Amino acid sequence: WLKMINPKYAGTCLYRGKELLYNGEFIEGQLLEIDGKNYIIDVCEQIKGNEDLLYYKDKIAFRLFNGNEINHKTLSIWTGLNDKNGIKIFSGDIVTLKGKRYRVCWNKHTASFVTKNGADQNNMLNYPKCYEIVDNVWDALQDAVNSPKEKTK
């Protein structure tokens, strides 16, 4: 077991972010912030009577410090919903509904996840299992930056 003292946050929600050190792929798990850096971990147990100290299994601790630091700009949280193919929908995903593309985001006024396309906004609970994930905002932006620009004549 490895002991980590006073991490800022270790939650029980499911988070996702892109790895910084290895392949830049998305990883899912619990969020842990240490010294201003965000990490995604697989397993976290709090020891009774000492809630300020967190202990991790050796395998997880190794992964934590060897590739699970994430780009904080790609941090997203699971909506609690899956798309029509059974894939988890996270904030920042781009989904389709009735042939139209929407971005998944949190609406603080309604305290719920919504899909947005311009002024068009839907509460995700109104259409459970009707969405299909087609992209996410980070990969879509990267694709736009990397795509060759058309030459004008």
Side-chain angles (χ1 to χ4, degrees):
W1 296 85
L2 173 71
K3 180 166 70 171
M4 306 198 67
I5 300 174
N6 296 323
K8 180 178 177 187
Y9 180 76
T12 56
C13 296
L14 185 62
Y15 292 87
R16 177 180 75 178
K18 285 192 169 213
E19 284 187 312
L20 279 178
L21 301 179
Y22 289 115
N23 58 14
E25 296 293 321
F26 277 109
I27 54 174
E28 298 174 7
Q30 291 183 334
L31 175 66
L32 180 66
E33 183 179 343
I34 302 173
D35 296 329
K37 295 182 179 180
N38 292 314
Y39 297 88
I40 297 289
I41 58 174
D42 293 328
V43 176
C44 173
E45 292 182 18
Q46 288 191 332
I47 305 302
K48 288 184 180 180
N50 206 352
E51 281 73 24
D52 291 337
L53 304 177
L54 297 176
Y55 295 81
Y56 302 90
K57 293 182 180 177
D58 290 341
K59 179 181 131 186
I60 303 306
F62 177 80
R63 289 192 64 219
L64 175 63
F65 289 106
N66 288 291
N68 282 21
E69 181 182 354
I70 60 163
N71 178 340
H72 71 280
K73 293 178 182 178
T74 65
L75 181 64
S76 54
I77 188 168
W78 183 38
T79 63
L81 301 172
N82 295 347
D83 76 355
K84 65 183 183 179
N85 299 313
I87 300 170
K88 293 179 181 91
I89 301 174
F90 286 83
S91 58
D93 279 341
I94 298 172
V95 297
T96 57
L97 175 67
K98 301 178 183 175
K100 193 170 182 181
R101 292 169 67 100
Y102 293 89
R103 180 175 51 93
V104 176
C105 54
W106 178 255
N107 182 320
K108 65 181 180 182
H109 301 292
T110 62
S112 63
F113 286 100
V114 297
T115 55
K116 291 179 84 171
N117 182 328
D120 190 8
Q121 180 172 297
N122 299 298
N123 185 311
M124 293 192 72
L125 295 177
N126 293 342
Y127 301 98
K129 302 274 186 190
C130 294
Y131 296 101
E132 182 173 23
I133 298 172
V134 294
D135 208 343
N136 63 71
V137 294
W138 303 281
D139 288 342
L141 179 61
Q142 189 64 38
D143 290 345
V145 168
N146 291 335
S147 66
K149 295 182 180 181
E150 293 183 27
K151 295 181 181 178
T152 56
K153 294 184 179 182

